[in-house]
Amino acid sequence: MSFYECLRAFPEGAASASRMALTAKGLGYQGIIICNCEPGRIFMPQATEMIKGIEVAFGVEVTASGSKALKSRISALRARYPFLVVRAATEETIRVASEDPNVDLLIHPCEVRRPLGIATARAAKLNQVSIGFDLSPLVRLRGNPRARWLEAVRRNLQLVRKFELHPVITASANSHLDLHPPRDLVAMAQVAGFEQDEAQEALRRPGILLALNRRKWVGPGVELL
């Protein structure tokens, strides 16, 4: 199975791109997608070419100060990178990302007070935007905060299933020490409410999106071979 993980590398993370790739390979991943906010500043990205047996792709996490700036930045980065992620922190960011077909992955905050809405789910379905579930709070949180987070994840997952959206799971690793083997990440997703095959497919989804984006499309459904 081709499992892919989305992560950050130095200087936005604590480990170099090559270190992340080497660790991910040892854990059983077939590929990683490094999604820094400023990918041009990644430390020695060419060093990843020396690590065989794992695909290393460079995407980008799109950030901006407002909705207009976010739309503009997404459009500008689409042609330069094969994978675009938006980590939503506000309702405005969620709306813009779900309505833009140039966005590959929208990582939702999974908060009880700010659940995934029906309008967002419909927009994501229309624009083929995958919904990301960051599972790192399962490790970081304890007690009531973890219980509330699990409740929010399960509510969002119900809506993802209802609208037949494509979920993606990630540990959002900032260091090689934050990486989890695919089997462990699938188990964590099951604790959060995923079915096993659903979690495995969610871990394969980034690689599928990467392959689709690398193909040359001249129009909707028309590919240049």
Side-chain angles (χ1 to χ4, degrees), residues 33-73:
I33 307 176
I34 299 174
C35 298
N36 281 24
C37 297
E38 296 185 48
R41 297 183 62 228
I42 293 174
F43 178 71
M44 293 183 66
Q46 68 277 10
T48 60
E49 298 173 6
M50 300 174 64
I51 301 171
K52 308 301 180 184
I54 185 169
E55 179 184 10
V56 180
F58 293 91
V60 60
E61 181 177 321
V62 188
T63 58
S65 57
S67 59
K68 289 184 178 180
L70 183 61
K71 289 178 183 179
S72 177
R73 188 157 168 77

Side-chain angles (χ1 to χ4, degrees), residues 1 179 182-183 215:
M1 295 183 180
L179 285 166
R183 182 175 63 180
R215 292 160 67 178

Side-chain angles (χ1 to χ4, degrees), residues 43-109:
F43 178 71
M44 293 183 66
Q46 68 277 10
T48 60
E49 298 173 6
M50 300 174 64
I51 301 171
K52 308 301 180 184
I54 185 169
E55 179 184 10
V56 180
F58 293 91
V60 60
E61 181 177 321
V62 188
T63 58
S65 57
S67 59
K68 289 184 178 180
L70 183 61
K71 289 178 183 179
S72 177
R73 188 157 168 77
I74 289 170
S75 298
L77 293 171
R78 176 72 279 177
R80 295 170 54 193
Y81 295 96
F83 196 85
L84 266 60
V85 180
V86 174
R87 189 177 294 271
T90 65
E91 291 291 345
E92 185 180 39
T93 306
I94 292 170
R95 179 185 60 78
V96 171
S98 64
E99 293 175 354
D100 197 324
N102 286 317
V103 174
D104 296 305
L105 177 61
L106 166 61
I107 299 181
H108 198 275

